[in-house]
Every structure is written in C-alpha cells, then in structure tokens.
Amino acid sequence: MTFDFERFGTVAGGVLRRNVRRLDRALASGMRPPPRMRVSEWAAEYRHFPDDAPIPGKWRHDTAPELVEIMDALSPHDPCAEVVVIKCAQSGGSASAENWLGFISDLAPGPVLFVQATAKAATQWAAEKFWPMVEASPRLNPDRGGTIRAQGLANGDGSTSEKVLFSRAGSGSYILLAGANSAANLRQRTVRYAVEDDLDQFPNDLDGQGSPEGMVDERLKVWRSRGLSKRCKISTPTIKGSSKIGHAYRGSDRRRFYLKCPECGSRFVPDWEDIRWPEGHHEEAFLTPPCCGVERIEHWQKGSMKLADGWLSDQINGEAMPRVLDEDVFQALRARMPQSIKRGFHLPGEISPFQSWAEMAVGFRDAQGDIAKLKTWTNLKRGIEFELKGDTPDYEALSALREQHWGRGQMPVGPVVVVLGADVQGDGIYCEIVGVAERAETWQLDARFIPGHTDVPGAGAWADLDAYTKRGVTFPGGREVPIDQECIDAGYHTEAAQAYCAKRPRRTPIFGRAGWSRPPIGRGEAIAYDKQGRRVGEKSKKVEDKAFLVGIDGLKLTWYGFLRASLKAAAEAVESGMDAVVPVGRVHLGRDTPPDWAEQGTAETIVVKMINGFPDRRWTPMPGRQNHYLDCRIYAMAAMAKLMLDTLSEVDWAKLRAERYAPTNPDQGDLLANGLTQPAPSKAEPPRSTAQTDTYLDSRDDYL
C-alpha cells in the first residue's frame, strides 16, 4: 500500500513526503556498511603529511612499498589478529600504525589502547606525530568535519591530552594513551584494538602485577573472544634473548622482505655481508647481490628493487626458505604461504628508504672497538638483536697491563685530557683519576679510597676530596691544568654531592641508571632520594634533586670490551717482541695500581633472571667482590662522554696536545674550555714514548 500524503493537504502532505525521504536516506545511510577498504588503500587516499614534514603531501606507497602488506594485515576483513614489526630506527613502521589509527576512526570505530614506554612518551607521540597527521589530513581534521574530535572544546566533550575521541561514533570509541609504567592506565578499559609502540622499553614487571604485555592482553580478551580484536607490536630490538619484540617476532610467521635484483630479476633477502666499500672509503658503500654476481648496485637503485609483494615467511610448512629465489619460485611460495593470525615483519636497515648503505657502513666503522656503540648500531641501524658475547675479563690477567716505568704521582707521556670518577659510600669516597687520549686510550693516573663521613656537605671525606682534586695535574713541560671533568656519584648522599659539585666548575653530580638503551650520560633529570629514616640515600617520591643520568649498562659493556682488547694487544706485543697496533680503548695501568683495583674493576657479570617467564639480563656483582673501582671507572667514562671527546678531530687532539705539553706559558688559554678551532703547528706534538714521566700530583699519601 502507498501512503496517502494528499489527505493531509498539499502543504502538509508535501512536508511529510520530504521528511519521509530524508528519514529514509538517513536510515539507509546508518545501515549501510562502511566501504570495504584496506588500511593501505585508506592511507593512499586520505593520509597527508604537513607542509613542514620531510616528505610533505599525500601518503605515497612508492616511498616504502614494504609497508603495504603490514598495513593490510591490520584491515578488519583480514583474519590476522596480531602484527609484530621488528625494525631499524626511522623505517616507517610507526607511521603504518598511525595510518591504522586514522582508518579505525573513520571506518572501524572502537576503543583503542595506545601504549608507549611511559605516559609522557605517549603524550609526546600524540603531540609530535598524531595531531600533526590529524591537522594535515582533511578526512581526520575536526575543523573540516573529520573523524577526530578537537581538543579543548568549551562543552568539555572534546579530546584531551590523554584521550582522543572519534566524532563519528558513540562514547565507546576513542584512543586511550597510556604508559607501560602505569598499571592503573593498563587496567582501566576493555578495548578492541591495541598498539604497543617501542615495546623493548617496556618493563618486565609492573608494580609486582606482571608484565605490561600481559595486562594489554587482558584488556583485549572480550573482543578477542569474538574474533574482532587486533593488536600491533612495534619496536627496535635490544639484547638477543631479552628483546621483547624479538621474542614476539620469533612467535610469529617471521616474514622477511625480498628485493628484486635489477640485473637478473631474482628475489633475495639483503644482508650486511652484501654491503661492500672500497678500502677505507665507507662513505662509498654499495650492495653486491647474492644472486647473479653483479658487482655493484647503488643506493639510488634501492627504491626500484622493492615491490609491495616482497614478503615471504622464513619457513613454509616446516621448510626453510632460501635467501635467493627465482621469481617464479618466489611467487609460487607466496601463494602457498598460510594467512596466519600472527604475522611478523622484519624491517632491517638494508631495505630502509630513509638510510643509505653508506650511512650504515660509516656507522659500522665508527662503532669499531666500542661494544656499546656496536650494540647501538646493530639495534638502530640494522634493526636486529645484539648478541652478547664474551665473559668477564680475568682480573688476575690484568697485571699484564701494568707498566713499571711510571706510578702514582707521575704523568706519563700520552694523556691529553684528565677526568675523575668518584663512588660515594657511607664511610668514604672511592675515586680514580684517568688520563685520556685519542681513540679512548686511557692511563690510570691514581686510584684511592678517601676515608671519612659523607653525609655532611663540605665536611669529612668531601673536604679531603676537594683538597685532593683542586690541585689539578701537571703535564710534562710543567703546565698545570685543573681536572677537566669530575663525575660524582649523587645516588647516596645527594645534597652533599651537589654541594661538592657546586663548589667548583667542571664537577657534575651523576646517578647511575640501568637500561641497555640509555646513553652514557643524559641531561639532568629530577631524581628523588630519602634523606632520613631506614631508606636514607635511597630513591624517594617526595624529594626532587637534580642529577645527570648515566647509562651504566652500556658503559660496562664498553669497559669490558676495552679490557679484553687491551689484554689481547699486550699478549700480541709479548709474543711478537714489539708494540702491537693500539686498539680503541687501550688501557694502561701504572706500577702503583691498588692491589684490589683489578678485582673490583671486573667485579660484575651479566646474569640472566627470569621475570614473569621472560629472560632479563642484568649486571650483578659476583659473590664476595666489591665493585667500587668499577663504578669509579664507569663514572670517569661518563665524564669523557660529557666532554664529548669522541667528537674531537685529529686536528683538535693535536692542538690540545701541543698546548698541554708545551713549556709553561701563562698567557696561553685552556683549549678544552674555550673551544678547539685552530689547527696545530706541525712540529708541536711531542714523541709518544711512555718512558718519559712528570710529577703531576703530590706523590705522598699523607697529604690529608
């Protein structure tokens, strides 16, 4: 039957007819399913970058075609439930997740949990990445009727710094920003989607309640039971065996990306062994593919070698996939590859569009001799886990590094810069003065324990340490200079350590902090300590003090590498009867090195502890051994890092050496304080014989 609008009259009937038509269109629009788009299609159509971005304008797949399949696995109609992306730095993996979030707000609304290592990191990501994407993309921009609600609306119904609301759905659709260091944030919501970004920086255990990953898993349980949840894990890796993203990738179908050779058309997985360079010219690195033997492929050809269909699991039905495949075989294997629900994608540096093979080669060259730098290069440039090798050096073997022609109170020829590290205890202060030259070569100039109480600023051991260090050092030739940098342990009696550092320039209060990804020394951060009670000197939530954070894990790894290289060089010198090539980080000890220095300087080893069923590698003191001199050396290395000695050129070192070894001239300034700008005279550098010494401190121990 047809409804009779005319019986209501011409005017009223016409109004009713128009209203019914509008209602019909609205009802049909509400019931119409969203368009069946893949995330990659949505990104190509709607994702924009701001004008000040490195690559402004619309998203283009030809920039990084390897990201297409990663995004498509996150599409609603794809059976994949979990995507794992192990990657090098700046490879586009996080941008893929950003596209997914935009897609969700537009075509598949639902509650999303976005987790970073800390809540601060999550809000910074939103400010630096997400909101610029929203502003640049009309489909998302709230000022253009987009899918994201604006922040700071007067009615209080807008997005906030911790919660992004979608405008095309009800109150149950949003992005909740959370930190993996907050159990409260990870317990608050039941969510359909989750992004765990920078996964390897998540703690293994959170407030004794389990791992953040386990908590996220619980938030997804309800939607997962309906087969509707999706989860994305993204991170650069860290230590092999302890890397969370590495563990997740090994539990997936482990897909690798195959390049297409421009010469023979075969597919191959690039590896570091394929990167070559002319002798001594790492900046001219190129790729030699393992397929047809062509000698040289340049970086500019990389883009044409990457096709969107380049992904293949490393095993199919239990059969390992070779690194090189003919095109027909590759496509046949692609067709056989199961559509698993847990897919892993590896984005190594060799295929990244945002770093060249030359950049990788130069980074590899610069990391030689420093295990911590090599680890950073392996994780960030290559995007693979770093495997710890080598045991703790034998402290009894360190006697081979003693040199009998100089001792306490003497300055051998060689050091150019002088630093000090001090470890504070309740009954005194351990300290070590270290001379430094090019390539991190070091001489232990003195190491001692200064007894006295350390809880009162300016008194006890602090007064004696000040008297000891304010005399500075005297170089051969008679030039007296102050210690260039002191790093003082502020983790015990913080106020007293800060008072000591404030008394003179070139003194820095520091706080050692574990963490394999921490830099040698960071910017001053608020660190809190208790000043009284049973936890005196320990971390407190009430008192905020400034100290510089020192990444002790990487520095200890570097220090042990320097010791092993030095022992090897010493053994080769004895065997050959001549001086061996000086390795990076060569360690020299004098004849008066304290008897317990070697034992303390190697007192810690890496121990694997299982936390929530996951291996965690930590530096741990060996039973019955103290580690005070180890801490002193680590803090001295932090002082070297604060002076940025690794940035000095050969000319800088030569100029500084010429000044400090020249005969006394009161009119000449301190280059390390005033900057290194002028080249050194060609005849100014003294011979490097270590037989020449000069007194640089009062050699008596009873100066106190």
Side-chain angles (χ1 to χ4, degrees):
M1 296 179 61
T2 303
F3 187 82
D4 185 10
F5 293 99
E6 300 300 330
R7 66 189 180 92
F8 294 96
T10 303
V11 176
V15 171
L16 286 175
R17 189 187 301 274
R18 290 191 294 271
N19 287 343
V20 168
R21 288 173 179 171
R22 283 196 293 268
L23 180 62
D24 187 50
R25 285 195 297 268
L27 181 61
S29 176
M31 297 180 65
R32 183 184 301 116
R36 188 179 176 87
M37 293 183 74
R38 297 185 179 93
V39 175
S40 65
E41 294 171 337
W42 185 94
E45 183 70 22
Y46 300 119
R47 171 72 190 269
H48 289 71
F49 292 95
D51 292 338
D52 58 353
I55 307 177
K58 294 189 67 173
W59 176 279
R60 296 186 294 273
H61 289 320
D62 55 0
T63 301
E66 63 272 19
L67 303 180
V68 170
E69 194 163 311
I70 296 175
M71 290 186 283
D72 287 350
L74 294 167
S75 302
H77 52 274
D78 192 291
C80 179
E82 181 173 312
V83 171
V84 177
V85 181
I86 181 172
K87 66 184 188 71
C88 67
Q90 301 298 319
S91 58
S94 297
S96 301
E98 294 162 14
N99 291 341
W100 182 41
L101 295 176
F103 174 93
I104 290 171
S105 72
D106 187 12
L107 300 179
V112 185
L113 182 63
F114 181 91
V115 189
Q116 271 271 10
T118 64
K120 181 180 179 180
T123 55
Q124 285 179 339
W125 165 84
E128 298 171 5
K129 301 289 186 180
F130 183 79
W131 285 108
M133 174 183 73
V134 170
E135 183 177 355
S137 304
R139 189 74 169 188
L140 306 176
N141 193 320
D143 294 335
R144 303 185 184 184
T147 63
I148 302 297
R149 293 190 198 177
Q151 299 184 84
L153 295 181
N155 61 4
D157 197 26
S159 298
T160 67
S161 60
E162 298 178 353
K163 190 175 184 180
V164 179
L165 300 179
F166 302 156
S167 61
R168 298 186 181 178
S171 60
S173 296
Y174 51 79
I175 302 173
L176 180 67
L177 306 177
N181 60 342
S182 172
N185 284 347
L186 299 181
R187 289 197 307 260
Q188 288 181 352
R189 302 288 192 278
T190 295
V191 297
R192 179 179 179 181
Y193 309 107
V195 178
E196 293 153 280
D197 196 12
D198 208 9
L199 181 65
D200 266 26
Q201 301 308 312
F202 289 17
N204 292 325
D205 183 73
L206 185 55
D207 300 334
Q209 301 179 47
S211 71
E213 286 182 272
M215 294 183 181
V216 173
D217 193 63
E218 289 298 312
R219 300 305 98 208
L220 292 165
K221 182 184 294 184
V222 175
W223 287 93
R224 186 173 60 247
S225 68
R226 302 295 187 269
L228 297 173
S229 71
K230 279 190 179 288
R231 183 178 193 175
C232 183
K233 299 181 178 182
I234 309 171
S235 186
T236 54
T238 49
I239 302 295
K240 188 174 183 178
S242 297
S243 172
K244 298 176 180 63
I245 196 68
H247 178 76
Y249 179 74
R250 285 187 290 275
S252 69
D253 62 0
R254 301 185 303 277
R255 301 186 180 203
R256 301 180 297 173
F257 194 80
Y258 285 70
L259 298 180
K260 188 177 181 68
C261 179
E263 296 294 328
C264 68
S266 298
R267 301 282 188 131
F268 68 93
V269 177
D271 199 8
W272 177 242
E273 66 186 29
D274 302 325
I275 309 298
R276 313 286 174 82
W277 52 84
E279 183 68 28
H281 295 278
H282 296 72
E283 67 280 358
E284 299 178 13
F286 54 87
L287 181 139
T288 301
C291 47
C292 60
V294 62
E295 293 185 359
R296 188 180 186 115
I297 294 177
E298 301 292 348
H299 169 70
W300 60 265
Q301 297 175 270
K302 184 191 295 185
S304 63
M305 299 167 66
K306 296 193 296 183
L307 304 179
D309 66 350
W311 291 103
L312 187 67
S313 298
D314 67 354
Q315 286 190 358
I316 297 179
N317 298 328
E319 178 185 355
M321 296 295 100
R323 195 160 74 94
V324 179
L325 292 167
D326 291 338
E327 177 66 21
D328 292 342
V329 175
F330 176 80
Q331 294 299 342
L333 291 171
R334 281 266 303 172
R336 289 174 48 199
M337 187 168 55
Q339 294 298 306
S340 58
I341 63 171
K342 188 172 182 179
R343 298 180 201 166
F345 300 89
H346 183 206
L347 294 172
E350 289 84 354
I351 72 169
S352 172
F354 307 114
Q355 71 175 2
S356 67
W357 297 320
E359 182 182 349
M360 295 182 68
V362 169
F364 176 74
R365 177 199 65 193
D366 294 344
Q368 295 307 296
D370 189 329
I371 297 179
K373 287 184 178 179
L374 186 61
K375 173 196 166 294
T376 300
W377 177 86
T378 302
N379 295 157
L380 300 185
K381 293 294 185 183
R382 287 202 65 197
I384 65 174
E385 298 168 281
F386 182 78
E387 186 171 0
L388 292 176
K389 296 181 179 179
D391 298 325
T392 301
D394 180 5
Y395 74 90
E396 294 181 345
L398 296 185
S399 60
L401 305 181
R402 288 176 180 259
E403 300 171 5
Q404 297 301 315
H405 53 268
W406 59 281
R408 174 179 288 180
Q410 294 179 315
M411 170 71 82
V413 171
V416 180
V417 176
V418 181
V419 297
L420 176 142
D423 179 45
V424 180
Q425 300 296 307
D427 59 347
I429 301 172
Y430 288 84
C431 62
E432 183 180 31
I433 298 179
V434 179
V436 189
E438 302 94 320
R439 291 165 52 84
E441 188 175 5
T442 61
W443 289 256
Q444 183 201 75
L445 303 180
D446 192 20
R448 64 177 66 198
F449 175 69
I450 300 176
H453 60 82
T454 58
D455 56 336
V456 179
W462 291 112
D464 294 337
L465 178 65
D466 183 62
Y468 171 58
T469 60
K470 72 180 181 181
R471 294 172 299 175
V473 297
T474 304
F475 280 87
R479 182 168 301 282
E480 297 181 0
V481 301
I483 294 174
D484 292 296
Q485 182 62 230
E486 301 177 38
C487 278
I488 309 299
D489 171 23
Y492 192 64
H493 292 304
T494 306
E495 185 177 350
Q498 288 185 319
Y500 171 82
C501 293
K503 194 172 183 179
R504 299 184 187 279
R506 309 186 191 198
R507 292 175 177 176
T508 302
I510 55 94
F511 183 85
R513 179 68 62 84
W516 289 104
S517 299
R518 289 189 178 276
I521 189 166
R523 299 170 61 184
E525 296 188 20
I527 303 297
Y529 308 90
D530 281 337
K531 295 183 178 180
Q532 58 186 356
R534 294 177 57 188
R535 299 184 60 199
V536 60
E538 296 183 16
K539 188 173 181 181
S540 165
K541 296 182 179 179
K542 298 180 180 179
V543 183
E544 297 297 326
D545 291 308
K546 284 284 186 179
F548 281 76
L549 297 184
V550 170
I552 59 176
D553 287 352
L555 286 175
K556 289 174 183 177
L557 197 63
T558 296
W559 169 236
Y560 279 12
F562 287 170
L563 287 178
R564 282 192 288 268
S566 299
L567 289 172
K568 181 180 178 181
E572 291 175 352
V574 171
E575 184 177 348
S576 63
M578 61 183 67
D579 290 339
V581 176
V582 177
V584 175
R586 177 67 159 91
V587 178
H588 300 271
L589 303 177
R591 62 174 178 266
D592 297 325
T593 296
D596 58 345
W597 181 89
E599 185 175 358
Q600 288 199 29
T602 57
E604 295 188 14
T605 188
I606 295 175
V607 175
V608 180
K609 296 184 178 181
M610 300 302 295
I611 299 179
N612 294 319
F614 201 84
D616 182 44
R617 284 164 168 75
R618 297 182 178 181
W619 288 102
T620 304
M622 287 181 270
R625 291 171 65 171
Q626 295 182 324
N627 61 354
H628 306 305
Y629 282 131
L630 173 60
D631 288 343
C632 288
R633 177 55 69 117
I634 296 306
Y635 298 156
M637 293 172 68
M640 294 162 57
K642 192 169 192 305
L643 292 172
M644 298 189 294
L645 299 183
D646 59 340
T647 66
L648 301 186
S649 67
E650 292 182 6
V651 172
D652 293 335
W653 281 107
K655 181 173 172 56
L656 187 58
R657 182 183 298 277
E659 179 191 291
R660 295 196 166 182
Y661 280 78
T664 304
N665 179 358
D667 296 329
Q668 193 164 4
D670 183 354
L671 290 176
L672 205 62
N674 298 329
L676 299 163
T677 57
Q678 301 298 323
S682 58
K683 298 181 180 180
E685 184 171 349
R688 291 294 303 276
S689 170
T690 56
Q692 180 181 348
T693 61
D694 195 9
T695 300
Y696 79 99
L697 308 156
D698 187 344
S699 61
R700 297 172 299 160
D701 289 333
D702 59 348
Y703 74 96
L704 299 175

